[in-house]
Amino acid sequence: MSETPLQAAGDLAGRHILLGLTGGVACYKSAELCRLLIKAGATVQVVMTEAAGQFITPVTMQALSGRPVYDSQWDAREANNMPHINLGREADAIVLAPASADFIARLAQGRSDELLSLLCLARPAERVALLIAPAMNREMWAHPATQRNLAQVQADGARILGVGTGFQACGESGDGRMLEPAQLLEDIVAHFQPKVLAGQRVLITAGPTFEAIDPVRGITNHSSGKMGFAIARAAREAGAEVTLVAGPVSLPTPRGVQRVDVQSARQMLDAVQAQLSQTSQVPTVFVATAAVADWRPAAVAEHKIKKTVEGQAPTLQFVENQDILLTVAQGARARAGQLFCVGFAAESHDLAAHARAKRQRKGIPLLVGNIGPAAFGQDDNQLLLVDEQGVQELPRAPKLVLARALVAEIAQRMRGGWAAHAPQHVGRGVDAGTSAAVQP
């Protein structure tokens, strides 16, 4: 039985991964990848080429996977003496990490002279994906023959997970490094997620903003950006092209997501409008998770404001920041509803009432509410979805789990003709009930 996003015990729970190792020093990363796959809930069957055994032992991979390692097409442990058939039929995906230049050439030519290449050739391609993590010297990676082979392998139905850039074991630096285990895990998990936003372009804001008072001080809030970054990852997993406009946070960028870093609310608005004004690749979904400052100091001091002898605090004058979500929502209506807008409301009390009112004021089809003090900086959250039908609660769960559920809700509403049901009344000004430094 398939699991809903809120029921999954682990990102890869119930999945069986065949992890193939070919000859390359990057085999040391395969040990950590195996551990991460199992931690994510998968079972892992390791198959190694003879060359891979020169870099890491089958004993190591058996200890990490908890299963005997296969390295020969003549392995007699299979009752029918057909490990190249049986192992592939049992797998949900075959992951080659590392995949050497030589092995990629074998795949391109359809050669099958040892167990792992036999497995790849004999796999039921309509059901068992082949995910390839190349690893090789930068010159080997850039060689036209390698690039031709990669193109052919992709045309034959495999998916190339890409390579990293940096220092290589040979002492050179450049493209060709195998991706890090955590990056590969993210790509493998993404492979199994439903592609409910395929063909969509999603623009997301995340994190706080910082409004400068002087060169060393400013106004901000406790938003960590974790919810917005989780939504960016979930949207990318769902097949969308994702751009993330991030306030000052130190979170790693999700795989495959384009990131634009900003500091202030005005910079965030400029970055959002720049994305929306593109003549091509215009976003179709806008998710405003950022905790944007409602106000900013009217003037920024050129130098640090010093204490006075009398100890008198300085007087600050504030001006209102332009409401990013309201501005975008108004523009979306001007474009005849071609942009699905989702807002976030971080409240401290009366969440449902404030969220309903905010959705109506902003004129958007979906508003997501949460209690800010219970969510900022946390790895889990509890959400309230508010639309024209009423209120739906998503119970407390990890933020990535909630993000996947939200993405599924967005996709469902987009399929259901949301534009005709978006509220038409739009208010003005800053929301009542939000803090001086926070406009969710």
Side-chain angles (χ1 to χ4, degrees):
M1 182 177 68
S2 63
E3 294 176 321
T4 68
L6 292 178
Q7 293 173 330
D11 283 341
L12 294 175
R15 301 292 184 183
H16 182 60
I17 307 298
L18 193 150
L19 178 59
L21 280 61
T22 72
V25 70
C27 281
Y28 79 91
K29 295 183 181 181
S30 305
E32 176 65 7
L33 175 59
C34 180
R35 189 188 71 85
L36 291 178
L37 290 169
I38 290 174
K39 188 176 180 180
T43 57
V44 178
Q45 176 61 62
V46 176
V47 176
M48 298 173 58
T49 65
E50 180 182 356
Q54 298 296 312
F55 294 93
I56 193 168
T57 68
V59 174
T60 297
M61 298 310 298
Q62 178 172 331
L64 291 170
S65 66
R67 302 167 73 96
V69 172
Y70 284 78
D71 56 10
S72 171
Q73 61 180 307
W74 312 115
D75 197 308
R77 284 174 291 184
E78 296 295 309
N80 60 0
N81 283 311
M82 295 184 182
H84 68 291
I85 299 295
N86 300 344
L87 298 179
R89 298 296 188 274
E90 295 168 358
D92 291 303
I94 297 174
V95 179
L96 303 181
S100 66
D102 173 70
F103 197 84
I104 292 169
R106 292 188 196 183
L107 295 177
Q109 297 165 13
R111 291 172 56 191
S112 52
D113 49 3
E114 47 72 49
L115 178 58
L116 188 54
S117 56
L118 275 166
L119 273 165
C120 295
L121 196 65
R123 85 186 199 282
E126 73 285 352
R127 183 178 61 81
V128 181
L130 179 59
L131 310 179
I132 298 176
M136 64 196 74
N137 168 266
R138 64 185 183 89
E139 298 289 359
M140 297 168 69
W141 170 256
H143 196 283
T146 300
Q147 294 302 312
R148 284 197 305 271
N149 290 336
L150 287 166
Q152 183 60 58
V153 168
Q154 284 185 295
D156 291 341
R159 180 184 169 200
I160 308 300
L161 301 181
V163 294
T165 299
F167 184 77
Q168 299 181 336
C170 59
E172 298 179 348
S173 185
D175 293 340
R177 286 172 53 95
M178 189 172 91
L179 294 171
E180 298 306 313
Q183 295 175 309
L184 291 174
L185 176 68
E186 194 170 331
D187 280 349
I188 294 166
V189 169
H191 166 74
F192 289 108
Q193 294 298 316
K195 299 301 180 278
V196 295
L197 289 182
Q200 303 296 329
R201 293 176 294 279
V202 180
L203 175 62
I204 300 168
T205 63
T209 60
F210 182 88
E211 309 299 326
I213 295 174
D214 61 26
V216 298
R217 301 186 184 92
I219 299 171
T220 187
N221 57 69
H222 294 298
S223 175
S224 66
K226 290 180 178 179
M227 192 71 235
F229 275 63
I231 295 170
R233 173 176 170 175
R236 184 256 177 176
E237 289 177 342
E241 296 179 23
V242 182
T243 300
L244 176 63
V245 179
V249 297
S250 57
L251 298 173
T253 306
R255 290 274 297 151
V257 171
Q258 178 187 353
R259 177 172 175 173
V260 179
D261 287 314
V262 298
Q263 289 283 323
S264 68
R266 285 183 291 181
Q267 290 173 347
M268 184 170 283
L269 176 61
D270 289 344
V272 168
Q273 290 182 323
Q275 292 294 321
L276 293 172
S277 63
Q278 296 181 81
T279 55
S280 61
Q281 306 299 311
V282 179
T284 55
V285 180
F286 176 60
V287 185
T289 67
V292 184
D294 289 328
W295 298 288
R296 67 180 184 274
V300 179
E302 183 178 358
H303 301 289
K304 178 182 176 181
I305 301 173
K306 307 295 290 184
K307 292 181 180 179
T308 63
V309 176
E310 300 80 10
Q312 183 177 359
T315 299
L316 298 178
Q317 298 294 325
F318 290 89
V319 294
E320 186 179 16
N321 278 321
Q322 187 171 344
D323 189 313
I324 296 176
L325 177 57
L326 181 59
T327 300
V328 172
Q330 289 174 333
R333 281 184 291 280
R335 292 192 297 273
Q338 296 175 0
L339 181 68
F340 186 91
C341 293
V342 181
F344 265 67
E347 303 293 346
S348 60
H349 67 288
D350 297 332
L351 178 59
H354 285 307
R356 288 192 190 97
K358 181 172 183 175
R359 187 187 82 90
Q360 193 66 30
R361 286 196 302 274
K362 305 291 185 182
I364 58 177
L366 181 61
L367 193 288
V368 183
N370 60 184
I371 298 297
F376 287 153
Q378 302 299 313
D379 292 326
D380 58 2
N381 201 355
Q382 183 176 355
L383 301 180
L384 210 62
L385 307 186
V386 182
D387 62 12
E388 67 163 1
Q389 304 298 326
V391 175
Q392 174 187 350
E393 182 178 338
L394 298 183
R396 184 162 291 277
K399 287 181 175 178
L400 180 57
V401 173
L402 292 174
R404 289 171 179 154
L406 177 60
V407 163
E409 293 285 345
I410 292 171
Q412 180 181 350
R413 285 163 171 78
M414 293 185 73
R415 290 193 301 268
W418 60 273
H421 305 292
Q424 298 302 310
H425 173 70
V426 181
R428 297 181 65 255
V430 180
D431 293 340
T434 55
S435 71
V438 179
Q439 173 195 304

